[in-house]
Amino acid sequence: MNKIGKHAVPLKKEALGFVGNRIQLAVLREAFHIVDEGIASPEAVDDIIKYSLGRRWNLVGPIASADLGGLDVFKNISSYLYADLANATGTDPTLEKMVDNGKLGLKSGQGFYDWQGDTGKRIVADRDAALLDQLKHDHNAKKD
């Protein structure tokens, strides 16, 4: 992995799914819950991640971020917020309904967003170019 410019991370033991997928699904479960409960729209949830957590976690991961913010603060927040977070263990009902209705996202042209036309292809191309730039930056930083 390191030879091809990726950042290999050793794990302590095997677990179902990749660690990144597990974290992503935990975030998605709560994001879907927020939308299902009418707290925020899909667009608002995406903007909150893009313009706050996503930027922060791109620089330091969630655990380092908690350390930097103060574990006492996160303990206090967890004491009341955990009880209100999504904790379902089955498939999200909204996600299941959308898939059953053929709303698969970009591949079907409709999901939470309308992906008709070239908008989705442009976003994917822009995202992929930005990710490649970040990989190049990481690779060059290792050389320094």
Side-chain angles (χ1 to χ4, degrees):
M1 295 286 290
N2 290 330
K3 287 182 182 180
I4 63 169
K6 300 269 185 168
H7 181 82
V9 178
L11 303 179
K12 291 187 172 189
K13 70 178 193 175
E14 203 172 309
L16 181 62
F18 297 107
V19 171
N21 287 343
R22 293 173 70 104
I23 294 168
Q24 179 175 327
L25 266 289
V27 171
L28 278 173
R29 178 174 56 192
E30 185 59 27
F32 294 151
H33 178 70
I34 288 167
V35 171
D36 290 345
E37 292 292 309
I39 298 168
S41 68
E43 296 84 1
V45 171
D46 283 349
D47 280 353
I48 290 164
I49 294 295
K50 287 190 308 189
Y51 298 110
S52 66
L53 287 176
R55 289 182 175 179
R56 186 176 315 132
W57 288 356
N58 186 45
L59 301 172
V60 296
I63 295 174
S65 186
D67 259 358
L68 293 170
L71 296 179
D72 55 329
V73 172
F74 282 86
K75 177 187 172 285
N76 286 338
I77 294 168
S78 72
S79 72
Y80 64 86
L81 192 54
Y82 275 3
D84 198 51
L85 295 176
N87 61 7
T89 57
T91 304
D92 181 84
T94 299
L95 193 56
E96 190 162 358
K97 181 178 171 184
M98 292 182 77
V99 169
D100 289 348
N101 289 327
K103 294 183 176 183
L104 308 177
L106 180 61
K107 66 173 72 175
S108 69
Q110 184 66 47
F112 288 97
Y113 295 91
D114 179 356
W115 296 108
Q116 303 296 318
D118 292 334
T119 302
K121 291 177 185 172
R122 182 183 46 78
I123 291 171
V124 168
D126 291 349
R127 178 204 62 193
D128 290 351
L131 289 171
L132 283 172
D133 285 345
Q134 289 176 2
L135 286 172
K136 289 175 188 173
H137 176 268
D138 292 347
H139 182 72
N140 291 333
K142 286 181 185 178
K143 288 181 180 180
D144 294 339

